[in-house]
Amino acid sequence: MATPSAWWDNWVEEALATLDSLNVLRSLRPICLRKGNHRMIPFEAELQNVPDPPKFREDRGAFEVFDEMQQWDRASVEVEIGEATFLRWMHDTPSSGDEIGYNTADGDDGFGVYNDKFKKLILFSGNDYLGLSSHPAIGRAAAKAAQEHGMGPRGSALICGYTNYHRLLESSLADMKKKEDCLLCPTGFAANMALMTTIGSIGSFLAGKNVTAEDEKIAVFSDALNHASIIDGLHLAQRQKSVKVFIYRHCDMSHLNMLLTHCRMRRKVVVTDSLFSMDGDYTPLVELADLRKKHGFLLVIDDAHGTFVCGKNGGGVAEEFGCEKDVDICVGTLSKAAGCHGGFIACSKRWKLLIQSRGRSFIFSTATPVPVAAAAHAAVVVAKHEAWRRKAIWNRVKDFHLLTGIPVTSPIISLIVGSEDKALQASRYLLQSGFHVTAIRPPTVPPNSCRLRVALSAVHTREDLENLAAALSRCIDFQETRIYNCNSYARL
């Protein structure tokens, strides 16, 4: 009996053959950047004075890494806001961000100095889970690439923006995700959009000029609380009239199993966030893997919030639950735990070729700037070897539970307080207490499920958590605060 992956491999091959016959398959051709008359060696290899590696190599000595928190790490969680910004926030006054003034006459660096007073805050609203945004090795990698090559990238990836830096980053991500290959995208949002629209195109190519029969369409099953990029991508996929979308209740495997059982379509896809950004809970990946064996669907996960954070090696939620082989395609981002910018799709070479030929948000976007690609590659290496960061963030999760009694299972802590007014009042109180915690309101979340979204970082300290817990206890009731809101439905 053929496996789900084999079925989909055949369908993807058919789609690729159709594209080839139409002469619309698109190729990535890496440009090797040079300095003077000498070919540039990627930063990792240059430090070791060895030739340019054809594949990603992990070598702790390639970048300066550390075994514990350093002084600069705190820059990722210690921030300041101007007095004018503070006052507008306290009064919930709409702002376009123009309230901070500059006095260029007092500065000599082109930026001047602020003519405003500042309030120092501890940031608990970010997604820089490992605190890598301030790591010197990552900053130096970006600076080195910028000094030697400028910003680039000269065009879209399919035209002339794809370089040896981009290829090295893709190889490192594919290695981390245990996938055959990887496609770098400008953002995580663009990655999901490209993948969803590509899935929609498969049904169209297989149908040819004929109208797709109902049972020959692609059935996509999407979790009710999936990220907006998945939802928007599915909207576009549906416009191709070869995709039918089914929404299953949030993390409800019984409901998903029922929908799959009653679906007559052969080509099935299940797409889900791995760690949900607004609720902080995990998809039941082990149960999904069992359903995949039963129903033969393609399993796609968006591991934006799990990548680098979960798993022994930072491979993400699939690694954490031992399901890497059961995940066919993994979407991720470099703008969260990597502390950089960009998105990616870890997949097979077949899927990569198809997505780079049909994923419009990839095709028609300028490629990632070279310094950003260099920095992201450094982040992959640093995140791998500074394992203390993963240990530290999970210690902070335990600290929050011990200090508040609230049962939390991830660095995303969604404290549902109910009304918009309650959430805003609590957020303003925390602001006065020195903590940047944003109130999440509709349309991001459903009405009456407004919340404080607390995001933990590896570079928060136990003292930070103690002070935050004390402030939280004065503005919300821990015993009455809900964590997960499992009765919500996506507005697809």
Side-chain angles (χ1 to χ4, degrees):
M1 180 178 176
T3 64
S5 294
W7 297 340
W8 274 98
D9 283 347
N10 290 334
W11 293 326
V12 172
E13 285 289 359
E14 287 184 50
L16 288 172
T18 302
L19 288 172
D20 191 34
S21 68
L22 296 172
N23 199 29
V24 290
L25 276 181
R26 297 294 178 257
S27 301
L28 288 167
R29 313 290 188 191
I31 292 172
C32 206
L33 300 182
R34 298 171 179 270
K35 181 182 179 182
N37 294 322
H38 302 286
R39 185 166 65 88
M40 282 308 304
I41 298 173
F43 188 47
E44 177 187 11
E46 184 178 44
L47 289 180
Q48 300 177 80
N49 195 30
V50 297
D52 187 350
K55 287 188 64 180
F56 168 69
R57 280 201 329 265
E58 289 191 11
D59 186 343
R60 181 184 172 115
F63 296 95
E64 189 176 13
V65 295
F66 304 89
D67 295 322
E68 60 185 2
M69 189 189 303
Q70 304 296 317
Q71 182 178 2
W72 54 74
D73 286 318
R74 292 290 290 177
S76 66
V77 294
E78 292 180 347
V79 298
E80 294 180 343
I81 62 172
E83 186 68 24
T85 301
F86 174 78
L87 292 174
R88 290 195 182 189
W89 190 343
M90 290 300 297
H91 293 92
D92 197 28
T93 304
S95 170
S96 60
D98 59 352
E99 59 264 24
I100 295 182
Y102 295 89
N103 184 353
T104 55
D106 293 333
D108 58 4
D109 57 0
F111 292 95
V113 296
Y114 297 107
N115 57 7
D116 206 347
K117 296 180 180 178
F118 294 94
K119 183 172 180 63
K120 293 182 179 180
L121 301 172
I122 300 297
L123 184 65
F124 276 100
S125 294
N127 293 323
D128 186 10
Y129 300 117
L130 299 186
L132 290 178
S133 64
S134 58
H135 198 287
I138 296 169
R140 280 198 289 268
K144 186 179 191 307
Q147 289 174 341
E148 293 178 349
H149 308 297
M151 289 302 294
R154 302 175 178 82
S156 67
L158 292 178
I159 301 298
C160 59
Y162 186 68
T163 72
N164 51 326
Y165 283 85
H166 297 83
R167 182 59 204 151
L168 188 63
L169 174 56
E170 287 178 341
S171 296
S172 69
L173 291 167
D175 183 81
M176 182 184 68
K177 289 294 184 179
K178 302 295 187 291
K179 292 290 180 280
E180 187 180 18
D181 213 328
C182 178
L183 181 67
L184 190 63
C185 295
T187 64
F189 202 107
N192 270 326
M193 294 285 283
L195 177 57
M196 294 304 109
T197 54
T198 299
I199 288 173
S201 73
I202 293 177
S204 301
F205 286 123
L206 296 181
K209 295 181 180 180
N210 302 319
V211 176
T212 308
E214 188 69 16
D215 59 355
E216 288 298 312
K217 291 183 178 181
I218 295 176
V220 181
F221 300 83
S222 178
D223 188 285
L225 296 187
N226 273 342
H227 191 264
S229 56
I230 295 175
I231 294 173
D232 288 357
L234 290 177
H235 275 306
L236 290 177
Q238 284 180 298
R239 291 175 65 90
Q240 300 179 65
K241 301 187 185 304
S242 61
V243 167
K244 188 170 182 178
V245 177
F246 300 85
I247 306 300
Y248 63 90
R249 289 189 291 268
H250 178 51
C251 291
D252 188 335
M253 295 299 98
S254 295
H255 187 217
L256 175 59
N257 182 54
M258 182 192 73
L259 292 174
L260 288 164
T261 300
H262 289 89
C263 179
R264 295 177 56 193
M265 302 176 199
R266 292 185 302 150
R267 304 181 185 103
K268 301 181 180 72
V269 180
V270 172
V271 57
T272 178
D273 284 16
S274 59
L275 174 55
F276 289 85
S277 62
M278 283 298 128
D279 290 81
D281 57 338
Y282 299 93
T283 193
L285 200 52
V286 174
E287 293 178 59
L288 269 174
D290 290 338
L291 287 179
R292 176 177 175 271
K293 293 180 178 69
K294 177 180 177 181
H295 294 284
F297 54 75
L298 186 85
L299 180 55
V300 177
I301 66 169
D302 179 353
D303 203 27
H305 295 270
T307 300
F308 302 109
V309 175
C310 299
K312 179 181 178 181
N313 300 304
V317 174
E319 183 189 18
E320 181 72 27
F321 290 100
C323 297
E324 288 172 302
K325 293 182 179 180
D326 298 295
V327 174
D328 297 291
I329 300 176
C330 181
V331 178
T333 181
L334 300 163
S335 62
K336 295 179 171 51
C340 297
H341 188 77
F344 64 88
I345 305 168
C347 55
S348 68
K349 289 187 179 296
R350 290 186 184 92
W351 270 103
K352 179 179 181 179
L353 182 57
L354 187 61
I355 298 165
Q356 73 191 37
S357 300
R358 302 308 298 170
R360 290 168 64 86
S361 60
F362 166 80
I363 295 169
F364 296 102
S365 293
T366 297
T368 301
V370 169
V372 176
H377 172 243
V380 174
V381 177
V382 172
K384 169 73 174 180
H385 292 295
E386 292 196 4
W388 67 265
R389 292 180 184 270
R390 277 183 292 282
K391 182 178 180 180
I393 194 169
W394 291 109
N395 284 339
R396 299 293 80 81
V397 173
K398 293 176 184 177
D399 288 341
F400 191 92
H401 170 59
L402 292 173
L403 290 166
T404 65
I406 297 175
V408 295
T409 58
S410 81
I412 302 171
I413 302 168
S414 190
L415 304 173
I416 301 173
V417 298
S419 72
E420 190 168 337
D421 186 56
K422 286 182 179 179
L424 288 172
Q425 285 185 12
S427 178
R428 287 193 288 263
Y429 180 81
L430 292 173
L431 182 66
Q432 286 182 309
S433 303
F435 301 103
H436 190 297
V437 178
T438 305
I440 308 297
R441 303 173 281 167
T444 304
V445 295
N448 298 317
S449 70
C450 299
R451 63 199 68 188
L452 299 175
R453 182 184 182 276
V454 175
L456 303 181
S457 169
V459 296
H460 284 133
T461 64
R462 167 78 184 208
E463 183 181 4
D464 292 334
L465 270 292
E466 291 172 349
N467 293 334
L468 175 67
L472 282 169
S473 69
R474 293 190 289 269
C475 62
I476 64 174
D477 187 332
F478 291 155
Q479 293 184 343
E480 293 182 1
T481 300
R482 291 178 291 150
I483 304 297
Y484 306 134
N485 187 27
C486 297
N487 296 317
S488 301
Y489 297 89
R491 298 172 297 281
L492 183 65

